[in-house]
Amino acid sequence: MMERILLGVFFLSECLILSTSVLRQFYFVNQSLNWTEAQTYCRQKYTDLVTIRNSEETNQLMNTLSSAGHSSEVWIGLFSEIDWRWSDGFTGSGAEYRNWRSESNEPNFISGKDLCVITSISGLWFDVKCSEKRQFICYKGTQLDPNFVYVSQSMNWPSAQRFCRENFVDLASVRNETENQSILKSWSSGHFPWLGLYRDPNVYWSDGSSFLFSNWYNGKIPLGSMRIVCGVTSIQLSGSWKLLSCETRLPFVCYKLPVKKQVVKLRLKTEDSVDLNDPVLKENILKKLQDRLKEDEVSGITLKWRGQLDGEVFRKEKLKEP
C-alpha cells in the first residue's frame, strides 16, 4: 500500500524543485580565520562556506569580492582529502615511504589532475596526469619479496595497472630506499615510468553538494605531506581554485539561501483502511520525498506538512455522485 501512495506523492518533489532557482546570496567576511573556524562561522551566521556550482556563481563571487575591495585569497567551501595508496593495496611496514622531488614542490597537483606517480632515473618521484602514456614498472613474486620488471610499452596508468595484473602481480610498490634503488637498475635514462602509487581526487564541498563543476588554477599547487587541504580563490586568480593548508588564516565568503515558502496541495488515492494522518506514515512519506530530492541533487529545501485548524494534514474527499 505504501508504494501505491508514493507514486502519487512523487508529484510533490517535481513541484518543489522549482523553488531552487532562487539566487544564493554571498557574504564576504573580513576576518582572518582558519578553514574550520570559517566553516563554523558561516554555519552559525548564514548557511555555509560558499559553494561554486557554475561559471555564473564564479562571476557572482568575483563581484562580491570586488564590491568589498578585496583582491587577495579567501576561503571557499572546497576541501580535499589526500590519500596516496598503492595499486596492490599494500598497507604494511613501508607503505608510507615517499621520495618526492622537493625542488619542484612535488606532489604539486597541476591543474587539479595529477593523481598518479612516476619516477625518474635519479629515483625522485613526480605526480602527473594518469592519462599520460608512459612506460612502467611491474613486479612479480610477493609484496614482501618483489622482483621488479620494467615494461617498455607506453600506456596510461589504468592500462599499465591492468597489464601488470594480467601478466605479473601488479604495478610496483616501493617500501624503502633499497627497493627504490633496485628499480633504478631496470631501465636507462630518458624515461619516467609509472609506479603503483596513486590517489583518488577526494574533492568535496562543505555543504555536501556534489562536486560537478571545477575551476582549478592552471599551475602548481604544492601539497607536500599534507593530508587535508582546503580551497581558496581570489580576484587575482580570476576565480580559479587553489589548495592550501587548512590552518592558514584568511578572510572567507559565506552563502545564504533566501527563504522561500511554497505550499503544494496534494491529492492521493488510497484504500479506505489507510490513515494518511498517521504520524508514522506522514514521517515516512516526508523521508521518501527528501531522499528523492537528494537523488536529484536538490539541496536547500526543508519539507514539512502544513496542518489544518484541527491539526490534521489530510482530509477525505467526498465522492462525486454519478
Side-chain angles (χ1 to χ4, degrees), residues 28-298:
F28 170 70
V29 181
N30 194 20
Q31 295 185 38
S32 292
L33 303 179
N34 66 35
W35 190 91
T36 303
E37 292 169 343
Q39 179 192 55
T40 299
Y41 182 99
C42 289
R43 288 178 173 179
Q44 290 175 344
K45 302 289 186 178
Y46 302 99
T47 299
D48 212 319
L49 275 167
V50 68
T51 296
I52 308 300
R53 302 171 297 174
N54 48 52
S55 57
E56 289 76 15
E57 290 188 342
T58 299
N59 294 333
Q60 183 183 352
L61 177 57
M62 292 300 96
N63 291 334
T64 299
L65 295 178
S66 179
S67 298
H70 188 84
S71 61
S72 56
E73 293 174 339
V74 294
W75 289 127
I76 57 177
L78 190 72
F79 70 99
S80 178
E81 299 176 356
I82 303 174
D83 181 21
W84 291 106
R85 291 176 284 172
W86 293 104
S87 176
D88 64 358
F90 181 71
T91 58
S93 177
E96 296 298 319
Y97 174 79
R98 306 286 185 266
N99 199 38
W100 299 114
R101 186 178 190 273
S102 59
E103 291 85 350
S104 56
N105 295 314
E106 300 291 337
N108 56 29
F109 200 50
I110 294 177
S111 302
K113 297 179 180 179
D114 290 3
L115 302 172
C116 295
V117 176
I118 59 174
T119 184
S120 66
I121 194 61
S122 63
L124 297 174
W125 302 355
F126 304 76
D127 65 331
V128 298
K129 299 178 183 67
C130 303
S131 59
E132 295 182 6
K133 291 188 175 182
R134 296 180 175 274
Q135 298 177 6
F136 51 97
I137 302 169
C138 307
Y139 79 90
K140 55 185 178 180
T142 66
Q143 286 183 332
L144 300 181
D145 186 22
N147 184 6
F148 299 114
V149 180
Y150 186 79
V151 180
S152 59
Q153 298 179 54
S154 294
M155 301 182 185
N156 60 34
W157 194 92
S159 296
Q161 180 192 53
R162 183 167 57 251
F163 182 95
C164 289
R165 290 177 173 178
E166 290 175 351
N167 295 279
F168 301 100
V169 176
D170 212 317
L171 278 165
S173 296
V174 185
R175 300 174 299 153
N176 49 55
E177 183 58 24
T178 299
E179 290 185 351
N180 198 40
Q181 291 300 317
S182 176
I183 283 177
L184 302 183
K185 300 174 183 178
S186 63
W187 88 96
S188 58
S189 61
H191 297 283
F192 293 76
W194 293 120
L195 296 177
L197 194 63
Y198 76 102
R199 74 181 184 92
D200 294 324
N202 292 333
V203 181
Y204 309 98
W205 289 107
S206 174
D207 66 358
S209 296
S210 298
F211 185 79
L212 303 175
F213 170 79
S214 65
N215 190 26
W216 292 111
Y217 167 67
N218 189 25
K220 295 180 179 180
I221 306 175
L223 301 178
S225 61
M226 293 185 290
R227 304 303 294 263
I228 304 290
V229 285
C230 296
V232 299
T233 191
S234 70
I235 290 177
Q236 295 171 348
L237 292 171
S238 300
S240 60
W241 311 333
K242 294 180 70 173
L243 296 168
L244 298 178
S245 165
C246 301
E247 294 306 311
T248 307
R249 306 189 76 82
L250 295 170
F252 50 97
V253 178
C254 308
Y255 82 89
K256 184 176 182 180
L257 287 172
V259 177
K260 180 179 180 180
K261 295 183 178 180
Q262 181 173 343
V263 178
V264 179
K265 293 184 178 180
L266 185 66
R267 179 182 288 111
L268 296 176
K269 184 177 180 181
T270 70
E271 299 291 340
D272 289 339
S273 60
V274 176
D275 180 11
L276 290 176
N277 288 303
D278 177 80
V280 174
L281 182 56
K282 288 192 297 183
E283 183 66 25
N284 287 338
I285 293 174
L286 278 185
K287 184 179 184 304
K288 290 288 186 180
L289 286 171
Q290 205 73 58
D291 289 344
R292 173 64 181 271
L293 292 173
K294 187 175 181 180
E295 290 174 5
D296 292 340
E297 297 182 352
V298 177

